[in-house]
Amino acid sequence: FFCRWNWLASMSTPFVDPSGLTLPQLGFVTAIYGYVLFAASNLISDGSELLLLVPSVAGLVGSVVLPVLGAVPDGMMVLFSGLGPDAQTEVAVGVGAMAGSTIMLLTFPWFLAVLGGRVNLDAEGYPEYTKPKDAPDSWSKLRPPGNRGLFTTGVAGTADVRNTAGVMVLTAMLFFVVQGPASVIVAQTDDRFAQASFVNRWAKWGTFATAAAFFAYLWAQGKTASRMAEKKQVDKMIDAIRSKQLTLAGAVSQLFPDTAFPKPKPLRQLRMVLRPFF
């Protein structure tokens, strides 16, 4: 299998070696690469919006489909970076590029979200999203306009943000499944073949662990999407009952249409519907 990959890597390709390009030529190739990424991201975005129009899969688009589509380019970048004669250096470059893009996605959009969504903090440090009863008519969430106080403005994180941050930290720890043994063997010997033989065993375990974590994440996100869709359905029922467009009997008949033995999910929905009224 690996001999076949080496044979494919040794074949002549239509691509130009970047080491032989001048600075303007390298800039032109970079612009082409950027345009390809831009066009591909637009296709992914347009396709995701079309999938949102399908009710049966709308909840899974953001929780399952987009993470898979986002992971594939990064994985291919690292995979093909190791198909050359100097795989050690090339893989390091591929992993560095993937790490850089991940860090950028974690920092810059988060900064923009906090900057655009910040509000004033009260005396106890809680964000003031609602207007106090004794507030004047000139009250606003951000006072004065454009306030950028480091300790006087902020945002509130929801439980989803906290849970996602915990998942990120736990899955990032899987990096040490390979990095820990690699650091130990490098300190013990300078033989590259002995190092590779030792690390390869741990790399297999790391592959299994990361794959299991990825599929577990997709499963958890699918469950979360199902609960969110269930909550939206219940909220619609509550609004309809409050506006007298739906009676409690009608809501019960929708939750239990054809069965005399209630199932756990309709019972849970019924409790959620009745909680605001009783």
Side-chain angles (χ1 to χ4, degrees), residues 201-227:
R201 294 194 296 270
W202 290 96
K204 294 176 183 178
W205 289 107
T207 301
F208 293 139
T210 52
F214 181 67
F215 287 111
Y217 169 78
L218 295 182
W219 176 82
Q221 291 300 305
K223 296 287 288 186
T224 301
S226 177
R227 288 196 299 269

Side-chain angles (χ1 to χ4, degrees), residues 121-186:
L121 303 179
D122 59 17
E124 298 180 357
Y126 292 99
E128 296 181 337
Y129 287 110
T130 57
K131 181 180 180 180
K133 296 181 179 180
D134 57 347
D137 295 336
S138 59
W139 183 90
S140 64
K141 295 181 181 180
L142 191 62
R143 306 178 304 277
N147 182 14
R148 298 182 180 179
L150 184 61
F151 300 104
T152 57
T153 61
V155 297
T158 61
D160 292 334
V161 175
R162 182 175 63 253
N163 295 336
T164 303
V167 171
M168 291 173 57
V169 172
L170 291 177
T171 52
M173 297 298 291
L174 295 175
F175 175 77
F176 293 101
V177 174
V178 178
Q179 184 60 45
S183 301
V184 172
I185 192 63
V186 167

Side-chain angles (χ1 to χ4, degrees), residues 29 52 76 81 105 112 115 122 138 152 168 187 207 210-211 216 218 223-224 232 252 256 261 270 273 278:
V29 174
L52 290 175
M76 292 299 101
S81 65
L105 292 174
L112 293 179
L115 183 65
D122 59 17
S138 59
T152 57
M168 291 173 57
T207 301
T210 52
L218 295 182
K223 296 287 288 186
T224 301
K232 289 181 180 179
V252 172
F256 306 98
F261 300 97
L270 180 61
V273 171
F278 300 98

